[in-house]
Amino acid sequence: MKWLKRGLIYSPSKKIPWMRKYGMAPTPFYLEQLGIIRLFMGVSTIDNYGSTSYVDVKADDPSQVLFIEDKNPVLGLGRPGTFDDCGAVPSCCIEIDGRQFLFFIGFQRCVKVPYMLFPGLAISDDGKKFERFSESPIIDRDRHNFFSYAAPCVIFHEGIYKMWLWIGNDWLTINKKLFLNASIGYAESKDGIDWKIIHKDCIVANNQNEFSIGRPWVIHTDGIFKMYYSVRYIKEGYRLGYAESMDGINWQRKDEEIGITVSESGWDSEMICYPSVLNVKGRTYLFYCGNNNGETGFGWAELVG
């Protein structure tokens, strides 16, 4: 693969209280009849309470921003005490029975560790205002995983909904700071609501310099599942990775084929992370975050080889 970087799409203005920081986890939804890509994103207050907004861009030229939702979040904080009372940021959006299902990451702060993360579901009839399906996560802790599930990516394939998600395996101390060691797992559903975790690792950290694999994004083309994801390194921070699979469960890592890395300077010169990929009329776009986990916003690249 070879990606041509096209530039920054969104950078926080720092003027609006609920979206002072970040443009995290760009999550595309193609509105074909309007010729628009709606890019849901995570934004936050100055003290890192996160919510979901969106940016509309032209489908044939995502550098042209048509609209930024800066009046109200499309999905705000959950009620105090619920799994997303400190943040609700997007991860994947698909259409089911004419409605938009937004799978999101719920944040809750803790005392002994920084946070817990679990996936939630919100549903919309118009794509502009979402209502939580439940105030509880759609996948919670169980006897196999004691820490976190998050960052779901969902597609419909061969009559079932398939999800790849981030699994927090343990907390590690790196440079005197706590981080989750994470891998990518898999789940299935008949309706997109009730999920069964298949307890088998898809992608795991594979050397001493890696300690976390996150935010999977899966597409199915030419009979192959293709996954893009974030790899967190001790020394380098986040970079992007790539893997392929014939069945969606057993994966072969091909990180050397990803074809994109940090820039020499600017908004994505320190890290690139949280990828999403969209095919539009024969063109393939990659949306991704830059420095400090998206604090500088997100941009895009186009597949050219």
Side-chain angles (χ1 to χ4, degrees):
M1 285 178 288
K2 181 179 180 181
W3 299 93
L4 179 62
K5 289 186 177 182
R6 299 293 195 185
L8 190 64
I9 291 176
Y10 172 83
S11 180
S13 69
K14 304 185 184 300
K15 295 180 181 179
I16 301 166
W18 60 275
M19 52 192 312
R20 288 278 298 275
K21 298 172 65 177
Y22 294 101
M24 186 180 290
T27 300
F29 186 82
Y30 182 30
L31 298 166
E32 185 173 6
Q33 292 184 339
L34 299 177
I36 288 172
I37 300 170
R38 178 156 293 160
L39 288 156
F40 297 99
M41 60 181 177
V43 297
S44 83
T45 62
I46 194 67
D47 49 356
N48 295 325
Y49 287 93
S51 55
T52 295
S53 186
Y54 67 84
V55 176
D56 285 342
V57 300
K58 290 190 67 173
D60 58 0
D61 182 4
S63 63
Q64 295 193 38
V65 175
L66 304 174
F67 178 77
I68 299 175
E69 176 51 76
D70 57 7
K71 302 301 181 186
N72 295 289
V74 298
L75 187 67
L77 301 179
R79 285 198 299 164
T82 58
F83 78 103
D84 55 352
D85 64 358
C86 293
V89 302
S91 185
C92 177
C93 187
I94 65 172
E95 184 174 313
I96 300 179
D97 296 330
R99 297 186 296 170
Q100 291 182 26
F101 278 47
L102 180 66
F103 298 89
F104 67 91
I105 307 164
F107 288 76
Q108 192 169 37
R109 293 177 180 170
C110 303
V111 175
K112 291 188 175 182
V113 297
Y115 51 76
M116 291 188 293
L117 308 175
F118 290 100
L121 171 62
I123 301 174
S124 175
D125 292 320
D126 62 7
K128 296 181 179 179
K129 188 67 177 178
F130 287 81
E131 299 292 336
R132 286 169 171 79
F133 172 78
S134 170
E135 290 189 292
S136 62
I138 54 173
I139 298 176
D140 210 338
R141 284 182 288 195
D142 56 31
R143 63 188 180 90
H144 297 280
N145 177 39
F146 323 116
F147 298 103
S148 288
Y149 292 107
C153 174
V154 178
I155 67 172
F156 186 70
H157 179 256
E158 294 185 341
I160 62 173
Y161 293 95
K162 300 182 177 182
M163 175 193 289
W164 295 266
L165 72 169
W166 179 94
I167 299 175
N169 300 308
D170 202 355
W171 284 93
L172 305 176
T173 300
I174 298 174
N175 299 325
K176 299 181 180 181
K177 188 176 180 180
L178 280 172
F179 294 92
L180 265 171
N181 166 263
S183 58
I184 302 300
Y186 175 72
E188 293 182 348
S189 172
K190 294 180 180 179
D191 57 9
I193 296 172
D194 296 310
W195 292 90
K196 178 183 179 182
I197 290 282
I198 308 299
H199 292 286
K200 177 176 170 51
D201 288 327
C202 293
I203 308 286
V204 298
N206 66 6
N207 63 53
Q208 291 183 344
N209 191 30
E210 294 179 5
F211 68 91
S212 183
I213 309 293
R215 211 282 168 97
W217 190 273
V218 177
I219 61 175
H220 187 263
T221 60
D222 303 320
I224 302 172
F225 292 96
K226 301 178 180 182
M227 183 191 295
Y228 304 82
Y229 47 87
S230 299
V231 184
R232 195 162 197 169
Y233 295 95
I234 294 174
K235 296 180 179 179
E236 296 88 353
Y238 272 122
R239 299 292 188 271
L240 299 189
Y242 173 74
E244 293 183 355
S245 172
M246 298 306 296
D247 61 7
I249 299 175
N250 299 286
W251 291 83
Q252 180 183 2
R253 288 185 67 169
K254 298 184 175 184
D255 291 356
E256 69 281 358
E257 297 182 13
I258 188 62
I260 190 171
T261 189
V262 294
S263 299
E264 292 185 2
S265 62
W267 69 277
D268 62 347
S269 60
E270 298 171 11
M271 66 170 63
I272 53 175
C273 57
Y274 308 149
S276 57
V277 173
L278 183 67
N279 295 317
V280 177
K281 296 182 178 179
R283 299 170 67 185
T284 302
Y285 304 142
L286 168 68
F287 303 100
Y288 65 96
C289 286
N291 300 343
N292 195 24
N293 302 15
E295 189 170 6
T296 54
F298 69 86
W300 70 295
E302 186 171 358
L303 189 65
V304 293

